[in-house]
Structure formats: C-alpha cells, structure tokens
DNA sequence: GTCACTGCAAACTATTTGCACGGAC
DNA sequence: GTCCGTGCAAATAGTTTGCAGTGAC
C-alpha cells in the first residue's frame, strides 16, 4: 500500500525536485484537512502547528501537489481558489448552499456513466470533471419560509 | 414575447434602479456575444462599437445582469471570471479541451433528471448547476499521438 | 430636484516573482 | 558543491470603491 508521502516523493524525484521539510509539512497538513480549504486557511493551520512556512511557499507547493495527484482545485468559489485532497478518495460531486455555504458531497454512478457516454459521443478523452449544484439546503429553505 | 431589454427594464424598475444608456449598451453587447467572454473582452468589444464605457461600470452592471437572469458566470476558468448570456437559452453543460481551449456545449436530459433526483434525496432546492468536463478533444488527441 | 450612475484613480485582494541566502541531494 | 527551495518584499492582475460631477426619473 503506497502512502501519500511515497507518492509525493516519487513524483518529486521523477521531476528532479527535493522533498524538503516545508513540503513534507504542507503535505501532512493538506491531508489532515477534510474539508475544502483555501491558501489562507492552510496558512493559519500551519501557524497553529507552530510552522512558519510562508504563503509564497504554499503557492509554490500547491501545483506540485496537484500535479502529483494528491489534491485538486474545486470549482466552487468565485473569489479565492479552493482545494481539497483527493488521495485515497473516489471522485464525487458537490451540492453547495447559497445561503449557509454548506457543502454536500455525493456520488452517482449513473451520472458518472452518462458523462462518459457524452464524451464518447464527441470523441473526447476526459481527464477530470466537476459538477456543482448550487441552491438552498433543507435548513435554509425552512428558515426562509419563516 | 418578452425581450431581454424588457426583462432587464422590469428588473431595474423593481429594484428602483435606472435604465441608463450605458446599461442599455452593455446589455446589447452581452447579447451579441455568442461565446464565453470576460470583462476585458466585453470592454474591447464596446470600444470597437465606439463606446467608452469604463471597466468600473461593466463590473457594476454584471451583477445586475446576472441577478435579472440575463447572463451568468461560467465555472470554467481558474483565473479571470468568464460569463455567458442565458436569455432565451436552455441550460447546457460544457466539455473543455485542456490543450486547445475549445468548448463543446451539450445537454443531456437524463443527466439533468438525475441531478434533480439527487437534490430531492437531500431535500435540496437547486437554483443552478454547472457541469464541466475537462480533457482532450479528438483533434488534440490525434495531434498528441504524432 | 433627487438620488442613482458614471469615469477616474486609488485601494484591495489573491497570487506571482526577483533576489540573496540556506539546505537537500 | 550544485542547484533547488525558501522567506521577504515588491510586483501583478483582476476587481472594488471613494469621490465629485452628471443625468434618468
């Protein structure tokens, strides 16, 4: 069973890059976050762990983590870029509440299958896809009715 | 048959806002673009039409056009925000080529139906959804093979 | 006549980059 | 020992905002 760190080390070696303490710490922290996060949130988390890694280093490390398949950008936000780790996770889609910002993750095999079928129809080779549904969650709907 | 201008005027009136020449011109130009565009592209287009509307006014008008249901943001780009008009268009999804940037638009009733079903399952009231598939188009695939 | 709208330039925010020092290999 | 990586601060790029004059209603 290959670990995320092995995967990242292999990727770096292949690219002739170094596995530094900073990169190790960022990797560890990214894996510890089980929600979507942005650069600032990761930065704050690192601070709490008594790490003083700079934002610049975070910005320079993220492309490496993405390229190595450990994390990816989510497409949900208009402003700051958001990320989530994907190592060991199956692909899933998102439902986002416009009022409270809550995110529901789901996976629907039938939707996955139909997407593949659409790609086939156009001779398109898919690499990734993102489906986000925005609207109002049950709780916010009932609040709005009041 | 209600026109886009009627729709926008009604929206503005409802909000106590004014239908200015600038807003009229921006509306007209947005409707004339049949591809995704960003603020700069619209700005350049306005320039070609001998309009000297400022970027600030464009930025201030877009939320109104979105809120009134005439256009929307697309979720495709990492950097600049992209838009497309939706007035008179059925919802569609996107397939984007990572190499040439080409966009294929498609609509699959079955996928639409399944999305509604997922929302129902979670008691979620959908407002909009965006599905983007990224990968390589037929042409770029064959080029890469060479 | 009032109050929303506009252009301008300055401000802001997220992200990127040049540089000189330091450390992984 | 060689480059790559780092923090810092400055630079960029997209977007937002304060202000004073203008015009739709």
């Amino acid at each position: 069973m290959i670990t995320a760190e092995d995967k990242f080390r292999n990727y770096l070696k292949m690219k002739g890059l170094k596995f530094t303490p900073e990169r190790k710490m960022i990797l560890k922290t990214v894996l510890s976050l089980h929600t979507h996060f942005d650069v600032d949130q990761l930065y704050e988390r690192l601070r709490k762990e008594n790490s003083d890694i700079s934002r610049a280093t975070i910005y320079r490390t993220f492309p490496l983590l993405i390229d190595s398949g450990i994390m990816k950008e989510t497409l949900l936000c208009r402003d700051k870029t958001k990320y989530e780790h994907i190592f060991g996770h199956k692909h899933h889609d998102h439902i986002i509440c416009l009022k409270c910002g809550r995110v529901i993750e789901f996976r629907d095999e039938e939707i996955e299958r139909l997407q593949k079928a659409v790609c086939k129809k156009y001779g398109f080779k898919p690499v990734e896809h993102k489906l986000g549904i925005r609207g109002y969650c049950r709780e916010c709907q009932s609040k709005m009715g009041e």
Side-chain angles (χ1 to χ4, degrees), chain A:
Chain A
M1 182 59 186
I2 192 170
T3 65
E5 188 174 312
D6 288 338
K7 188 170 183 176
F8 194 36
R9 289 184 106 116
N10 290 344
Y11 167 82
L12 292 172
K13 180 167 283 179
M14 183 196 46
K15 291 274 183 175
L17 304 174
K18 292 166 184 169
F19 187 68
T20 63
E22 288 83 1
R23 287 177 182 166
K24 183 186 175 112
M25 185 65 192
I26 290 173
L27 170 64
K28 183 186 150 209
T29 309
V30 161
L31 293 174
S32 78
L33 294 172
H34 292 285
T35 49
H36 301 168
F37 58 92
D38 57 37
V39 167
D40 270 358
Q41 287 167 330
L42 187 76
Y43 181 76
E44 290 308 328
R45 183 61 163 263
L46 287 169
R47 287 255 142 169
K48 275 187 198 141
E49 306 280 335
N50 295 312
S51 169
D52 53 358
I53 295 172
S54 71
R55 282 190 173 76
T57 296
I58 297 175
Y59 277 113
R60 284 186 277 226
T61 303
F62 274 12
L64 306 176
L65 287 170
I66 290 171
D67 199 30
S68 65
I70 285 167
M71 68 174 215
K72 67 170 185 172
E73 289 179 13
T74 67
L75 265 192
L76 305 180
C77 281
R78 207 201 146 297
D79 42 342
K80 294 187 184 179
T81 313
K82 288 261 186 177
Y83 306 87
E84 66 184 320
H85 71 252
I86 51 178
F87 182 81
H89 287 251
K90 253 198 168 176
H91 170 82
H92 55 259
D93 294 311
H94 298 114
I95 296 180
I96 311 100
C97 181
L98 290 167
K99 188 129 193 250
C100 67
R102 187 176 157 209
V103 177
I104 300 169
E105 297 186 345
F106 72 95
R107 180 180 174 84
D108 185 303
E109 298 301 339
E110 190 63 8
I111 291 179
E112 301 290 320
R113 196 183 62 67
L114 287 167
Q115 287 181 24
K116 284 201 191 94
V118 170
C119 288
K120 195 165 186 180
K121 178 176 159 195
Y122 290 101
F124 195 87
K125 184 185 166 69
V127 171
E128 63 163 341
H129 67 270
K130 306 189 186 184
L131 167 60
I133 301 176
R134 297 206 254 202
Y136 297 100
C137 70
R138 208 191 310 258
E139 287 69 27
C140 288
Q141 280 174 68
S142 50
K143 268 183 229 152
M144 284 159 67
E146 289 162 14

